[in-house]
Amino acid sequence: MISRVAVVPHPPLLVPELVGGAVAETQAVRAACLAAARDLRAHDVDWTAVAADPTGPRVLENVVGSFLGFGVDVPVALAEGASSVEPALPLPALVAGWLREQVGARSVRVHLVPPDLPTAECVALGASLGGRALLVLGDGSHRHGEQAVGRPDDRAEPFDEAVREALVHADTEALKALDPVQADELGAAGRAAWQVLAGVPGAWRCTRSEFSAPFGVGYHVAVWEA
């Protein structure tokens, strides 16, 4: 039964080799994600993970991939001793593997769901997940301020504030109430994964929570314990 959860974003900028001279500018979000991952590692060395990706639904485990498609050949593995190569490992799985390696977890089994998965199906998946430690990967809106992808949207701030509040209070009903259409319009790639989390049973409390949007994208980091 899942009894600890780490919520993190999955931008490539978490990996220092991918950001060159901007390592200092990206350090705060990287440090927050690694701290959450260490909390998860302290609970269990084998993780379940969930994220949204257009290649879903599928499950990835015991494979090796690389960030080469994002500019630098930084190899990562989803498990210790994995040797089977997945040439186009999706970004959320790459970040899950990178976090696993950074904090010394043994394995991560990544469930990828379609970004448009309906809320009810997200919740149902959450109720069925196994393991003791869950990594939830997903970015907030990418329409914050002048650095927004495409154009800024005044709805981005209240949307991500609602997510932040839901995570701070471990409020699964608030996560279920997120509007998939609005999330899509705001480029909030984490919506489906957060709603999978909303389906995981437990009497949750939040022990860590941070939010930032330094590059026009909302980055949520949280840890829940049951």
Side-chain angles (χ1 to χ4, degrees):
M1 179 173 149
I2 293 169
S3 48
R4 186 169 296 179
V5 175
V7 177
V8 298
H10 55 68
L13 62 80
L14 293 181
V15 181
E17 293 90 337
L18 302 184
V19 293
V23 171
E25 290 85 344
T26 57
Q27 177 58 28
V29 66
R30 182 181 305 111
C33 291
L34 288 171
R38 289 188 192 100
D39 284 356
L40 201 63
R41 164 63 177 81
H43 189 64
D44 204 331
V45 295
D46 296 306
W47 299 350
T48 300
V50 64
D53 187 80
T55 65
R58 61 173 173 153
V59 178
L60 294 165
E61 58 185 330
N62 296 317
V63 296
V64 177
S66 170
F67 283 96
L68 182 60
F70 297 90
V72 181
D73 185 11
V74 179
V76 295
L78 298 189
E80 292 179 354
S83 59
S84 177
V85 177
E86 181 81 17
L89 202 61
L91 178 60
L94 288 168
V95 171
W98 184 81
L99 288 171
R100 178 201 73 77
E101 292 180 346
Q102 295 302 303
V103 302
R106 183 166 56 194
S107 68
V108 58
R109 188 171 192 257
V110 183
H111 295 255
L112 297 176
V113 302
D116 60 353
L117 191 69
T119 299
E121 295 182 38
C122 293
V123 171
L125 175 60
S128 72
L129 291 175
R132 298 179 65 240
L134 176 65
L135 181 67
V136 179
L137 302 112
D139 297 348
S141 174
H142 63 208
R143 296 195 178 278
H144 287 272
E146 294 307 311
Q147 290 183 292
V149 177
R151 58 178 174 77
D153 192 310
D154 291 341
R155 298 174 298 166
E157 184 174 348
F159 176 88
D160 273 320
E161 176 60 17
V163 176
R164 188 194 70 81
E165 284 284 320
L167 293 174
V168 165
H169 297 292
D171 187 342
T172 57
E173 292 303 314
L175 291 177
K176 291 175 189 176
L178 295 174
D179 181 359
V181 174
Q182 184 184 63
D184 180 63
E185 291 172 352
L186 294 174
R191 188 279 309 173
W194 300 329
Q195 291 189 323
V196 172
L197 168 58
V200 178
W204 297 106
R205 65 186 182 93
C206 179
T207 60
R208 182 188 298 274
S209 179
E210 296 184 42
F211 173 75
S212 62
F215 307 104
V217 183
Y219 298 138
H220 295 274
V221 178
V223 174
W224 287 8
E225 295 181 355

